[in-house]
Amino acid sequence: MEGKLSSVAKNFTPSSIQELSQLAQKCNAINLAEGFPDFPAPPCIKEAAVSAINNDFNQYRRVQGICDQLALKMKKTHGLNVNPLTDIAICCGQSEAFAAAIFSIINQGDEVLLFDPCYETYEGCITLAGGIPVYVALEPPQWTLDPEKLMRSFTSRTKAIVLNSPHNPTGKVFSRDELEIIAEGCRRWDCVAITDEVYEYITYDNQKHETIAKLPGMQERTIITSSLSKTFSVTGWRIGWAIAPASAASAIQNIHIRITDSAPAPFQEAALTALRSPIEYFETLRGEYELKRDFCMKLLGSIGFRIQFKPQGSLFLFAELPKDCLLSDVEYVEELIKQAGVVVVPGRGFFHGNESCNYQKRYIRVAFCKSGATLNAAAQKFGELINAKACPKILY
Amino acid sequence: MQAAECTWTHFEMLRPFCFKSPSTTPLFFNFSKHFQKGYSDSSFFRSNWRISNYPSFMATISSVSTHKDPVSTHDATPNITHQPVQVAKRMEKFKTTIFTQMSMLAIKHGAINLGQGFPNFDGPDFVKEAAIQAIKDGKNQYARGYGVPDFNNAIAARFKKDTGLVIDPEKEVTVTSGCTEAIAATMLGLIDPGDEVILFAPFYDSYEATLSMAGAKVKCITLRPPDFAVPIDELKSTISKNTRAILINTPHNPTGKMFTREELNTIALLCIENDVLVFTDEVYDKLAFEMDHISMASLPGMYERTVTMNSLGKTFSLTGWKIGWAIAPPHLTWGVRQAHSFLTFATSTPMQYAATVALQAPDSYFAELKTDYMAKKAILVQGLKDVGFKVFPSSGTYFVVVDHTRFGLDNDIAFCEYLIKEVGVVAIPTSVFYLNPEDGKNLVRFTFCKDEETLRSAVERMKEKLKKK
């Protein structure tokens, strides 16, 4: 009966990130792998959800107020004019918004450019829709974008380019110049930019997130996707959106209705409260995560890592293994679980390119969206190992 | 420790065979020309025909539709003269649904909405409280992709209670954002482009749309009034070794038909003979009034080839929570899970905890649910008969289908338009549930998932204002 699986499904493997989390649970390891917080969501947003459930906001709905709030935000933050009645689709998380965006514009055989390394799910969506992922490698150690390499990757079959900034796994925030280069490619080849901006409010060192949609000629060819999840620490609520020119937004909404019909209703209500949070909320969010980022960098430094690229945004640190370490990323992660009881993600799962580059097996991704207690516990474990001088395989 | 087994396999995608014809079409053509390209596609032509035949209805619709004419200049960006974001060919099947259109008209005319199938009363307190508790307890982060373990267990336990089948919650249950997503994930995970899939018309509108996303070839068998029985001869001549799957919705939306044991046995034999998969949508299984609900998976030899789908929404009047699931043997579950992981990745966490509590509700909950709905059904059905409709028997769901022709309107859409504007009541035109709209033009669907006062008011309005011609 295996013959009954579609050819697309046969080629998929389980999400490596999710498998790791399960292993960490089994070993009771400190989880610095999956990108969701282990601290509570903001109380007023939870209260809004509770209130919505009690006030019977429990049937299929589409809360127009979310679109109004988002349109206001786009104007305030990016100076973009977005029509809340026609340009926004509410979906079950950025995951669904992205899937619907892909299904709305990708035909069989269309090429989609992706930067390498990248989040593992994009490729699956593109392939499911009949598209062909084409990777453009960012160059380590600074993950720089090579303009010529990018331009060479566009062909007459390129339909779209996926831009995730702030970036998972590297923590890179694409600069204005880089956005300009990408925009130039889109304009020249008449392509669509599909963005994943879930970490839009998590940037460091006074760096600001900019959306490519605000560049000249880009709003009409950009689909922005984002969600509540990372900004409000509610990754399990499944509230996301796509912002795009009306024809695309309408198409995305129509696909969304056939995939899931509606995003969870009470959480849509709570989203109204969330999106009205005062500016202090976002400043505090940024400040706290910056502290955690710095702590994490020190933590890795203490066991011999030299961090060459300081994350400018997102919740992740993408660190190259110490030069003296002869292990691969997977072997190192294994050792870290066994010796230190800490789990992180081996970087190879984020690389897809055909280039046979050694560096693809030399990175680990550490998530620092964890409580102070968790980070301290990890520090304590490392401290014990350093004092014991007992683990040559993970101490350098 | 399992670390040595190294489950962190490199996420490698083999490139599927891709369409190699070089595109010479300039990328700069606009949206309307893209649609004209679809003229040779018969399904597009059908929808186009439908539009041109019912001009007044569509004119009303367009003023409230969310589908904006893409060729017109956009208010927000006045400098656009063409639309660079060209939507994919599959979007031809993805217009704004009839439900959205009718709901908008209902609001505009202050009509009583017996169209869209969701309750105007709320779910039970014990389930709502469980969700609230889960939120307060911090269950707000990503759930395991294929479901919170306790919930998977509860689904398996419920399935055992309902069908007698013992299943593995870890390997045979996938939690999705509603049954709608279960259907989408099943189609995308198990259907290849070009595969033949059999549908019974009338059908819930998302089936056709998701089948087109999967590139399937749809073969439709029409169920006809008065009893909407399965035409066995037609089924035998349609099903073959080329058939990949057959989709069964029982209890059935919109007719309320429930597939009998004889019908399911016949279909089962044909599926086993021709090695066909069965996808069942059983969301109304607890709203079975005139006979017992039967799951295809419980028939001999059928579990290994069946995906059984269900959800929380209808049974617990919480349609907006989007909690659904698919039950299938491991080799089929695997395909469903892969597609699901790329569609939504994970399902709402607090609601899964609440759903766990819901599925463990005592028998009295389900008994009371049935009693309540049967009372509502009686009000509506008697009322519709008194008004003069020909009412077809509905054994399950909260829908009833009627013949409207004695009121003298040309077709179902015209009748529904008249009903909203002149009478102030909403029904759903059933032609949208057929591949060939002609098959549905005499029928409209009413729902009785509304409180009794609403149902009585609607019946009153119809008695007063609906004149036989």
Side-chain angles (χ1 to χ4, degrees):
Chain A
M1 186 78 72
E2 263 90 28
K4 289 297 175 186
L5 282 177
S6 71
S7 51
V8 165
K10 273 187 231 175
N11 290 329
F12 287 4
T13 54
S15 161
S16 45
I17 296 177
Q18 288 196 331
E19 282 185 337
L20 270 177
S21 253
Q22 288 172 41
L23 182 69
Q25 264 182 338
K26 280 198 193 124
C27 306
N28 242 336
I30 296 171
N31 193 328
L32 301 185
E34 268 208 45
F36 56 78
D38 61 0
F39 48 81
C44 61
I45 294 167
K46 291 196 292 194
E47 269 145 37
V50 167
S51 180
I53 292 172
N54 280 326
N55 290 321
D56 302 344
F57 288 101
N58 297 309
Q59 310 309 326
Y60 298 125
R61 3 172 356 99
R62 182 178 178 275
V63 176
Q64 182 59 35
I66 295 177
C67 306
D68 298 335
Q69 285 299 316
L70 288 173
L72 281 173
K73 275 211 179 306
M74 293 303 286
K75 180 74 187 174
K76 193 157 181 230
T77 319
H78 303 292
L80 284 172
N81 288 318
V82 166
N83 185 334
L85 289 174
T86 59
D87 297 355
I88 305 178
I90 302 169
C91 299
C92 292
Q94 181 274 341
S95 301
E96 202 214 346
F98 184 83
I102 291 287
F103 274 100
S104 74
I105 63 164
I106 298 301
N107 284 312
Q108 186 81 24
D110 283 347
E111 289 175 7
V112 180
L113 296 185
L114 294 146
F115 292 108
D116 210 26
C118 75
Y119 179 55
E120 61 185 20
T121 303
Y122 304 140
E123 179 170 333
C125 279
I126 293 164
T127 317
L128 212 53
I132 300 170
V134 174
Y135 288 95
V136 179
L138 297 172
E139 276 155 36
Q142 302 296 322
W143 311 109
T144 41
L145 169 62
D146 179 345
E148 272 159 44
K149 195 193 285 188
L150 175 64
M151 288 309 172
R152 275 201 308 270
S153 308
F154 282 93
T155 72
S156 59
R157 293 219 293 268
T158 311
K159 186 71 186 273
I161 179 166
V162 174
L163 176 59
N164 168 219
S165 179
H167 186 244
N168 172 10
T170 64
K172 171 188 175 69
V173 171
F174 284 71
S175 67
R176 173 61 85 111
D177 289 340
E178 287 170 325
L179 294 180
E180 236 327 298
I181 295 165
I182 298 167
E184 178 53 32
C186 290
R187 288 186 295 251
R188 210 190 291 175
W189 292 89
D190 195 25
C191 290
V192 174
I194 303 178
T195 72
D196 172 357
E197 302 183 23
V198 291
Y199 303 104
E200 56 186 312
Y201 292 106
I202 303 172
T203 54
Y204 307 119
D205 307 319
N206 295 321
Q207 179 110 23
K208 278 219 163 7
H209 162 70
E210 288 195 293
T211 181
I212 199 171
K214 69 196 261 198
L215 267 56
M218 286 309 290
Q219 187 177 4
E220 69 218 49
R221 58 177 72 256
T222 303
I223 299 174
I224 296 172
T225 68
S226 190
S227 75
L228 284 189
S229 295
K230 309 298 196 297
T231 311
F232 297 97
S233 308
V234 285
T235 59
W237 282 17
R238 321 314 293 141
I239 299 292
W241 51 82
I243 301 174
S247 60
S250 168
I252 292 168
Q253 183 78 28
N254 288 337
I255 294 226
H256 152 71
I257 287 176
R258 268 75 172 204
I259 296 181
T260 63
D261 206 13
S262 159
F267 299 136
Q268 286 191 56
E269 280 304 307
L272 290 176
T273 304
L275 292 173
R276 283 190 202 119
S277 298
I279 196 160
E280 291 78 32
Y281 173 81
F282 301 96
E283 284 166 3
T284 310
L285 182 81
R286 193 172 293 139
E288 280 184 5
Y289 273 133
E290 190 163 323
L291 283 173
K292 292 178 203 266
R293 175 201 64 171
D294 294 345
F295 188 91
C296 214
M297 289 181 63
K298 271 213 202 91
L299 201 60
L300 287 186
S302 73
I303 55 172
F305 279 77
R306 270 191 57 243
I307 310 293
Q308 289 190 283
F309 182 74
K310 197 170 171 186
Q312 304 162 311
S314 90
L315 307 167
F316 307 108
L317 182 55
F318 204 51
E320 191 180 359
L321 295 175
K323 291 269 180 296
D324 298 336
C325 175
L326 299 175
L327 301 178
S328 70
D329 55 348
V330 165
E331 289 161 349
Y332 187 86
V333 173
E334 257 185 71
E335 286 301 315
L336 206 62
I337 293 183
K338 286 183 195 164
Q339 313 290 351
V342 173
V343 62
V344 297
V345 181
R348 70 175 68 181
F350 298 98
F351 292 104
H352 308 80
N354 291 324
E355 311 173 31
S356 52
C357 302
N358 291 333
Y359 69 78
Q360 295 188 4
K361 298 186 179 158
R362 297 282 303 166
Y363 279 84
I364 57 167
R365 187 194 78 171
V366 183
F368 49 83
C369 45
K370 307 295 171 186
S371 67
T374 304
L375 294 174
N376 281 330
Q380 191 158 3
K381 293 269 191 172
F382 286 178
E384 284 163 15
L385 294 178
I386 292 166
N387 288 339
K389 295 183 185 155
C391 307
K393 284 191 179 171
I394 57 173
L395 296 179
Y396 293 91
Chain B
M1 200 185 292
Q2 288 174 348
E5 284 174 38
C6 193
T7 48
W8 315 301
T9 48
H10 179 57
F11 189 84
E12 219 158 27
M13 287 294 308
L14 297 175
R15 305 268 184 266
F17 174 80
C18 65
F19 177 67
K20 289 254 198 276
S21 144
S23 165
T24 51
T25 322
L27 292 166
F28 257 77
F29 61 86
N30 66 27
F31 197 78
S32 60
K33 283 193 200 143
H34 177 81
F35 261 65
Q36 282 167 28
K37 270 181 74 175
Y39 248 99
S40 56
D41 175 53
S42 60
S43 62
F44 171 73
F45 188 77
R46 249 196 307 280
S47 60
N48 206 41
W49 163 86
R50 196 187 305 165
I51 290 167
S52 61
N53 265 274
Y54 310 143
S56 64
F57 181 72
M58 290 314 295
T60 320
I61 286 295
S62 63
S63 65
V64 295
S65 168
T66 55
H67 180 80
K68 193 161 174 174
D69 177 2
V71 179
S72 67
T73 48
H74 191 314
D75 284 347
T77 45
N79 296 323
I80 292 181
T81 49
H82 78 275
Q83 294 289 320
V85 183
Q86 294 123 32
V87 296
K89 298 188 184 76
R90 64 174 66 82
M91 292 313 299
E92 284 159 21
K93 288 240 175 358
F94 285 73
K95 305 290 182 2
T96 312
T97 69
I98 192 72
F99 305 102
T100 316
Q101 290 165 8
M102 301 304 297
S103 284
M104 282 165 154
L105 264 188
I107 294 168
K108 191 170 177 203
H109 291 271
I112 299 175
N113 197 331
L114 300 190
Q116 204 156 4
F118 57 76
N120 66 350
F121 47 84
D122 211 42
D125 284 340
F126 74 95
V127 181
K128 286 164 41 172
E129 270 147 29
I132 288 169
Q133 195 55 50
I135 293 168
K136 289 183 174 165
D137 289 345
K139 309 260 192 274
N140 300 307
Q141 306 310 325
Y142 290 126
R144 188 179 63 174
Y146 58 92
V148 165
D150 280 347
F151 186 38
N152 286 47
N153 291 340
I155 292 169
R158 190 74 234 173
F159 194 61
K160 172 154 190 242
K161 194 158 190 226
D162 293 340
T163 65
L165 290 169
V166 174
I167 59 170
D168 182 342
E170 291 298 293
K171 301 204 179 107
E172 298 178 295
V173 174
T174 305
V175 175
T176 55
S177 291
C179 187
T180 306
E181 199 217 332
I183 294 164
T186 299
M187 306 292 200
L188 288 167
L190 300 176
I191 300 294
D192 269 324
D195 280 352
E196 263 180 37
V197 177
I198 295 178
L199 274 189
F200 290 103
F203 46 73
Y204 176 57
D205 70 337
S206 86
Y207 299 163
E208 200 200 343
T210 35
L211 280 169
S212 86
M213 269 167 82
K217 232 172 32 196
V218 174
K219 293 222 156 160
C220 195
I221 295 180
T222 305
L223 305 175
R224 297 182 194 283
D227 56 2
F228 301 102
V230 176
I232 299 294
D233 290 337
E234 196 184 330
L235 177 60
K236 283 184 175 162
S237 64
T238 309
I239 200 170
S240 74
K241 298 247 186 295
N242 291 330
T243 310
R244 183 75 151 210
I246 182 168
L247 180 52
I248 297 174
N249 171 216
T250 179
H252 183 247
N253 171 12
T255 65
K257 167 205 173 51
M258 290 178 63
F259 282 64
T260 63
R261 191 167 284 280
E262 292 68 38
E263 287 172 326
L264 291 175
N265 276 333
T266 308
I267 298 171
L269 282 169
L270 290 167
C271 287
I272 292 172
E273 210 177 286
N274 293 282
D275 196 19
V276 175
L277 296 179
V278 180
F279 303 153
T280 70
D281 171 356
E282 303 184 17
V283 291
Y284 299 101
D285 68 339
K286 298 293 179 284
L287 299 181
F289 306 123
E290 311 295 330
M291 56 179 266
D292 286 336
H293 169 75
I294 302 162
S295 285
M296 179 61 107
S298 65
L299 267 55
M302 289 310 291
Y303 180 75
E304 67 197 55
R305 57 179 66 253
T306 304
V307 180
T308 307
M309 297 174 282
N310 210 325
S311 78
L312 194 73
K314 312 300 196 285
T315 310
F316 292 92
S317 309
L318 294 163
T319 58
W321 281 20
K322 306 314 293 164
I323 297 293
W325 56 89
I327 296 172
H331 57 278
L332 297 182
T333 290
W334 196 68
V336 174
R337 281 186 187 176
Q338 298 319 310
H340 158 67
S341 68
F342 298 112
L343 289 176
T344 59
F345 186 66
T347 306
S348 158
T349 311
M351 293 357 192
Q352 288 191 58
Y353 282 92
T356 306
V357 170
L359 287 189
Q360 291 160 357
D363 290 346
S364 56
Y365 172 80
F366 300 100
E368 222 180 282
L369 181 79
K370 261 171 78 166
T371 316
D372 284 348
Y373 269 121
M374 283 172 81
K376 294 177 201 292
K377 181 176 174 185
I379 296 171
L380 182 67
V381 167
Q382 192 54 52
L384 291 172
K385 284 181 176 163
D386 291 345
V387 170
F389 287 101
K390 182 167 175 202
V391 181
F392 296 108
S394 154
S395 312
T397 77
Y398 41 48
F399 301 115
V400 88
V401 155
V402 305
D403 184 314
H404 64 81
T405 49
R406 72 178 349 151
F407 297 101
L409 281 303
D410 284 339
N411 54 62
D412 57 334
I413 295 184
F415 177 78
C416 286
E417 190 190 24
Y418 178 83
L419 196 67
I420 293 179
K421 287 176 161 173
E422 306 302 328
V423 181
V425 173
V426 187
I428 292 288
T430 59
S431 54
V432 296
F433 299 137
Y434 292 83
L435 274 191
N436 177 5
E438 269 296 288
D439 286 337
K441 71 177 195 176
N442 293 343
L443 306 174
V444 297
R445 182 195 84 176
F446 285 96
T447 176
F448 50 89
C449 55
K450 309 290 172 188
D451 64 80
E452 293 189 8
E453 197 187 305
T454 303
L455 293 170
R456 285 186 217 279
S457 303
V459 166
E460 277 317 301
R461 280 194 191 183
M462 286 191 279
K463 279 185 182 162
E464 234 180 87
K465 299 187 182 167
L466 200 51
K467 307 250 180 319
K468 283 175 242 195
K469 293 200 188 156

